[in-house]
Amino acid sequence: MITTVAVLLFGDARTPAPLRDLPVHRVDGPADIDAAIGPYGRLAVVGTDADLAAVLSRLLRAERLDVELAYVPPRRTPATRVYRLPAGRRAARAARLATARRVTLIRDETGAVIVGRADWRPPDAGQSLHGEAVVDDTVLFDGDAAGVRIEPTLAVPGLRTSLDGGHRPWRRWVAGRAAQLGCTGVVVVRDGVPASRSARRSTFYRHVEGWLLVR
């Protein structure tokens, strides 16, 4: 039974009315997230997909996946679609009243978590990814690709990937436990936030333990 709930506010977000009587922590960096992990059994994250992923990444690092997370975005996002969550006032009410259930956790080799969507993009506009991408035992591409989209799934195997068709719609999805890329250069975009520098390899995979999502 959850007895301690706190609100984490990111950016210029304000505390939703249904949560105003709860302890509130304004988050300006990872240390603020870490400070809220210990005292509370449930955290209501008021922010973006990237903010929710940041909190989850800190829980993973601290080995505190027993903490429940409620997501309270002002509007629908890729993560609300993936996990079938409400937004706005409905999300704020659910943060207090709904039950937490364990769902799949998708992370990469750096320990960063994604909750809505990741992308593998060429380092330079107008270029292609050149290399090979594999989802479990399925080759997604071998050669050149305009880009790749990776999304968590609510249930196992845990993620799905799709090739960017350039000016055409995204192609079919390939589901699996892990997606791996080796190439001449890639920019990894996690929940809308591009990495500060390009890499040659990237892997997203389902963590052995899921996370507790209030939904």
Side-chain angles (χ1 to χ4, degrees), residues 24-154:
V24 175
H25 294 258
R26 177 69 64 176
V27 177
D28 294 317
D32 299 316
I33 300 174
D34 293 343
I37 289 176
Y40 306 106
R42 176 177 291 188
L43 300 175
V45 179
V46 183
T48 66
D49 284 1
D51 298 327
L52 176 62
V55 175
L56 192 48
S57 296
R58 300 306 294 183
L59 291 179
L60 177 64
R61 181 186 297 267
E63 298 183 350
R64 288 299 313 274
L65 292 177
D66 58 311
V67 176
E68 300 178 356
L69 289 184
Y71 186 29
V72 189
R75 60 191 62 83
R76 294 188 60 79
T77 70
T80 63
R81 177 179 54 78
V82 168
Y83 294 108
R84 304 170 190 169
L85 300 172
R89 185 175 290 270
R90 287 182 57 212
R93 289 196 296 266
R96 305 193 70 152
L97 303 175
T99 302
R101 296 177 175 84
R102 201 164 289 277
V103 297
T104 55
L105 186 155
I106 301 302
R107 55 169 293 183
D108 68 9
E109 76 282 358
T110 71
V113 174
I114 60 167
V115 295
R117 169 180 170 180
D119 292 276
W120 287 328
R121 292 295 182 189
D124 298 307
Q127 293 187 349
S128 298
L129 293 174
H130 181 73
E132 182 182 37
V134 178
V135 181
D136 292 350
D137 297 325
T138 301
V139 176
L140 190 64
F141 79 88
D142 184 0
D144 293 320
V148 177
R149 177 189 297 182
I150 305 103
E151 293 184 353
T153 57
L154 187 57

